[in-house]
Amino acid sequence: MVINIISGTLTHLQACNDAYVNSRLGQVYSPPEELFKSRLAEGINKGHIFVAVNEDHQCLGFIWIELRGVFNQFPYCKLLAVKEQFRSQGIGTALLNYFERVSFSKATKTFILVSDFNQRAHQLYKRLGYTDVGLIPNLFQEGVSEHMLMKLKPEKDVT
Ligand SMILES: CC(C)(COP(=O)(O)OP(=O)(O)OC[C@H]1O[C@@H](n2cnc3c(N)ncnc32)[C@H](O)[C@@H]1OP(=O)(O)O)[C@@H](O)C(=O)NCCC(=O)NCCS
């Protein structure tokens, strides 16, 4: 499948919402839909959300990037979700590759959080070279710990 990664617009709002809501992550955190959509709209309006689209301009998933989201210095992937029917086709990896391209043009380290129940996403990040640097208990929700993962800019890219 040919996909392009482009800046998200409000026309992608519903698809981004669906990608997140139809996941264990969305079910565990389950923000009220209108609240979640208003947060997404804010991310879109700030230019922080990028979407993967196919040849038909259909939105398949998104990534939310805050370039100084960690310690006001390092890039942070705030959210990543692919629509359920398009998972396991490399779209999440493509969105993460995009995140790293943007991040490593500005910084030497990049960060992501993953919930303790989200082993598949955790494995994906480890496969892509992220390492665990900490565990934060009860961060967003009582009873759920978040692993903090970091990736270093590859040596070959260090100038
Ligand atoms: C986590 C998530 C974003 C990953 O996206 P994805 O598009 O499924 O990821 P990829 O396809 O790049 O890689 C995932 C798997 O597909 C496999 N894969 C990658 N490219 C593939 C391809 N072209 N064909 C078949 N399989 C492929 C990978 O080996 C990987 O294997 P796994 O099933 O053991 O994990 C997605 O599962 C998701 O949206 N989950 C719900 C929300 C969520 O939990 N987000 C993470 C927040 S931290």
Side-chain angles (χ1 to χ4, degrees):
M1 186 191 327
V2 176
I3 63 157
N4 279 308
I5 296 175
I6 60 171
S7 285
T9 70
L10 292 175
T11 61
H12 303 123
L13 189 64
Q14 187 64 46
C16 294
N17 176 76
D18 295 349
Y20 175 77
V21 167
N22 295 315
S23 71
R24 178 94 197 278
L25 184 69
Q27 282 148 16
V28 169
Y29 285 116
S30 62
E33 182 161 331
E34 286 318 306
L35 174 65
F36 184 64
K37 280 185 172 171
S38 74
R39 285 192 190 141
L40 278 174
E42 196 183 321
I44 287 170
N45 289 331
K46 284 183 175 167
H48 292 173
I49 293 184
F50 300 86
V51 298
V53 293
N54 64 10
E55 307 88 324
D56 301 325
H57 311 288
Q58 186 185 8
C59 174
L60 314 176
F62 73 100
I63 191 161
W64 186 329
I65 300 173
E66 300 209 334
L67 280 177
R68 292 164 70 93
V70 173
F71 309 126
N72 199 30
Q73 185 166 348
F74 300 105
Y76 171 50
C77 170
K78 185 180 167 92
L79 257 187
L80 168 69
V82 172
K83 285 179 93 176
E84 201 170 15
Q85 64 272 38
F86 296 105
R87 290 181 194 150
S88 294
Q89 297 178 45
I91 296 163
T93 301
L95 286 163
L96 285 161
N97 287 339
Y98 180 83
F99 169 57
E100 290 173 22
R101 263 203 315 281
V102 175
S103 298
F104 292 141
S105 70
K106 309 218 178 293
T108 53
K109 299 177 182 71
T110 191
F111 291 84
I112 195 162
L113 291 176
V114 66
S115 309
D116 54 8
F117 57 80
N118 206 348
Q119 289 95 348
R120 190 172 157 249
H122 200 162
Q123 284 312 312
L124 173 64
Y125 303 149
K126 284 188 170 171
R127 229 170 24 236
L128 293 175
Y130 290 79
T131 54
D132 288 309
V133 291
L135 182 70
I136 312 175
N138 309 316
L139 181 62
F140 300 121
Q141 188 161 302
E142 205 57 33
V144 180
S145 299
E146 297 289 328
H147 296 271
M148 188 174 216
L149 285 88
M150 179 177 81
K151 183 168 177 175
L152 297 178
K153 182 173 179 167
E155 287 274 310
K156 63 179 173 52
D157 299 341
V158 175
T159 48

